[in-house]
């Protein structure tokens, strides 16, 4: 579903991604792990077309997406929940979700009701401004907004950031169900290994802008040496 | 009593005219952070569109429609050729639109000459209001202004189009990530602001001297209205226009037009001192 060959990407003169290769099959849930500043967010932003690739090729659904506009990439079926969530704080919960729905599916599209089964709290807060929600609710709103467009694939950047443990578990469970029941393809960037293991069946490790190791979640549970090597400080 | 009523009517008329002229400016500044110095010239183009069509023997209403559409298209062109390259470069937008304003004005002088043109109002009747006689066309202008305000608020705050437009303005890259075509919304928002300037020009033309300088007189109160009211919300400038317009016409009526200018500026300065980001400004987007 997603294939990246030799992606080089960075800010100004500095290279962050140095020839990264990645392949993800439809319906797969993958975790991307790595220390701060290794290029995880940069990779997701490059996939969304928010950062131009300096070299390398990207395919989504067998279509080249490097050099494509962000909105076209979103329309093709990729959704993004950025680090820091970036909900629209001055718009209501309903408006945030509405934007997610119609951005990809046209002005006439309504909010899919499944969102409220996944995140019941959103149904209770529809009229409230996004900015007045708690951190955990904002994260659920950001994910709900992305899912409202019924994407084929979702890029989730550090969903556990700043959340209470109980909410982290809840978000993890909701994402797992989205993958299993809806067939969503998912990349989750995480520093919280427990959450990554709960969501993904395959874990990738990134260091200095390239993928350096890969393992199944089951193997990682049994042997955590990779975690010591690529995550511990 | 009659005198007071007429004054009130004149004040209301002036307020609504400023709102009408400022609305396009407000949309472009409040939503897109572009100070469009050429707004007055878009107003001018609206008036001249009416002049041309009336001279060709076409009815006023067609001229009004054509002015709105034509100036909207000029706005589209302006956005595509100039504005889109300089979003977020505040000073550059001022300089570039200032340059455009001069170019448009000179083009009008070249084609029509520096002199005044005249247009005819479609309604010439006087109506009796509370015993006083008042031109019906002025009431029509007020109705158009109210309609423009209502339509604009409806468009931007009650429709899905407006929701998407506000999302693009609030967080451009996130809006793009949701699949919203950001460039299309830039174009449409700017063109809408321009079209309102064209409409205002055509509506005001019959009661003004249509000449290449006509945009100027309204631009200053319109900018003041934005400064005083704040651009954080569309309602800010409407409130600002109310204050400026009311102060101006009441002082002009009771005292003199020159004093009115002085009082308006003094009031604006005081208001800006007390509320630096405008009465309704929240300063959030700064
Ligand atoms: N906008 C930017 N301009 C310049 N450099 C940047 C920018 N954003 C990130 N960087 C740099 O690029 C490198 C990779 O950043 P990136 O955000 O991709 O890391 P990350 O793996 O997501 O880290 P974290 O876990 O802290 O989110 C870092 O060295 C960072 O300082
Ligand atoms: Mg990051």
């Amino acid at each position: 579903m997603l294939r990246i060959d030799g992606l080089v990407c960075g800010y100004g003169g500095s290279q962050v991604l140095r020839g990264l290769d990645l392949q993800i099959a439809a319906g797969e849930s993958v975790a991307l792990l790595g220390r701060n500043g290794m290029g995880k967010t940069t990779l997701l932003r490059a996939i969304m077309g928010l950062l131009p690739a300096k070299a390398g090729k990207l395919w989504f659904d067998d279509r080249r997406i490097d050099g494509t506009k962000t909105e076209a990439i979103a329309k093709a079926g990729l959704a993004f929940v950025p680090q820091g969530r970036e909900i629209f704080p001055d718009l209501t919960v309903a408006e945030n979700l509405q934007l997610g729905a119609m951005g990809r599916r046209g002005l006439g599209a309504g909010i899919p009701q499944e969102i409220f089964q996944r995140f019941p709290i959103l149904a209770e807060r529809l009229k409230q401004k996004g900015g007045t929600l708690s951190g955990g609710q904002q994260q659920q709103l950001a994910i709900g907004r992305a899912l409202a467009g019924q994407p084929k694939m979702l890029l989730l950047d550090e969903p556990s950031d700043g959340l209470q443990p109980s909410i982290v578990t809840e978000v993890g469970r909701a994402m797992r169900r989205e993958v299993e029941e809806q067939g969503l393809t998912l990349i989750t960037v995480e520093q919280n290994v427990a959450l990554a293991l709960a969501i993904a069946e395959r874990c990738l490790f990134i260091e200095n802008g390239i993928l350096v190791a890969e393992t199944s979640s089951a193997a990682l549970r049994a042997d955590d040496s990779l975690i010591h090597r690529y995550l511990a400080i | 009593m009659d005198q007071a009523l007429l004054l009130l009517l004149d004040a209301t008329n002036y307020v609504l005219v400023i709102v009408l002229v400022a609305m396009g400016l407000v949309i472009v500044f409040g939503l897109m952070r572009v100070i469009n110095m050429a707004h007055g010239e878009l107003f001018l183009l609206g008036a001249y569109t009416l002049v041309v069509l009336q001279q060709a023997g076409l009815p006023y209403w067609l001229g009004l429609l054509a002015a709105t559409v034509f100036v909207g298209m000029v706005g589209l062109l302006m956005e595509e050729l100039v504005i889109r390259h300089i979003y977020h470069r505040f000073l550059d937008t001022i300089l570039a639109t200032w340059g455009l304003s001069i170019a448009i004005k000179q083009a009008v002088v070249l084609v029509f000459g520096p002199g005044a043109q005249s247009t005819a109002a479609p309604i010439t009747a006087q109506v009796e209001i509370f015993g006083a006689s008042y031109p019906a066309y002025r009431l029509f202008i007020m109705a158009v202004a109210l309609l423009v305000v209502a339509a604009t608020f409806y468009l931007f705050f009650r429709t899905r189009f407006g929701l998407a437009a506000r999302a693009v303005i609030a967080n451009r890259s996130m809006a793009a990530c949701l699949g919203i075509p950001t460039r299309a919304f830039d174009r449409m928002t700017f063109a809408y602001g321009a079209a309102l300037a064209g409409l205002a020009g055509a509506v005001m033309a019959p009661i003004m001297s249509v000449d290449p300088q006509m945009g100027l007189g309204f631009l200053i109160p319109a900018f003041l209205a934005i400064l005083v009211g704040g651009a954080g919300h569309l309602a800010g400038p409407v409130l600002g226009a109310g204050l400026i317009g009311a102060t101006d016409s009441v002082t002009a009526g009771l005292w003199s037009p020159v004093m009115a200018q002085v009082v308006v500026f003094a009031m604006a300065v005081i208001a800006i001192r007390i509320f630096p980001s405008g009465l309704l400004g929240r300063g959030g987007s700064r």
Side-chain angles (χ1 to χ4, degrees), chain A residues 11 16 35-42 83 158 191:
Chain A
Y11 305 90
V16 175
R35 292 190 187 94
N36 288 101
M38 289 302 174
K40 305 180 295 292
T41 298
T42 304
Q83 195 167 6
E158 304 214 17
Q191 309 232 23

Side-chain angles (χ1 to χ4, degrees), chain A residues 100-121:
Chain A
M102 69 192 190
R104 183 158 120 72
R105 290 155 53 224
L107 281 186
I111 304 168
Q113 291 307 301
E114 299 88 73
I115 306 289
F116 301 119
Q117 284 160 22
R118 205 60 89 215
F119 302 113
I121 187 74

Side-chain angles (χ1 to χ4, degrees), chain B residues 183-271:
Chain B
R183 283 288 304 135
F185 277 92
D186 288 343
R187 282 192 202 103
M188 287 188 283
T189 308
F190 195 88
Y192 182 80
L196 286 190
L199 173 72
V203 168
M204 292 302 293
I207 60 165
M208 290 179 73
S209 148
V210 177
D211 62 58
Q213 308 302 328
M214 73 183 287
L216 211 59
F218 286 108
L219 215 60
I220 292 164
F223 272 121
L224 277 184
I226 294 175
L227 271 174
V228 168
H233 191 278
L234 276 186
V238 175
L239 186 72
L243 278 174
I244 301 271
T247 312
D248 187 288
S249 39
V250 170
T251 325
L254 297 179
W255 210 339
S256 77
V258 178
M259 271 325 281
Q261 301 262 314
V262 175
V263 172
V264 163
F265 270 101
M267 191 207 69
V269 168
I270 293 168

Side-chain angles (χ1 to χ4, degrees), chain B residues 1-15 132 134 245-255:
Chain B
M1 186 60 204
D2 275 6
Q3 204 54 33
L5 266 173
L6 269 183
L7 190 59
L8 185 72
L9 219 51
D10 274 340
T12 314
N13 181 69
Y14 187 58
V15 167
Y134 202 73
T247 312
D248 187 288
S249 39
V250 170
T251 325
L254 297 179
W255 210 339

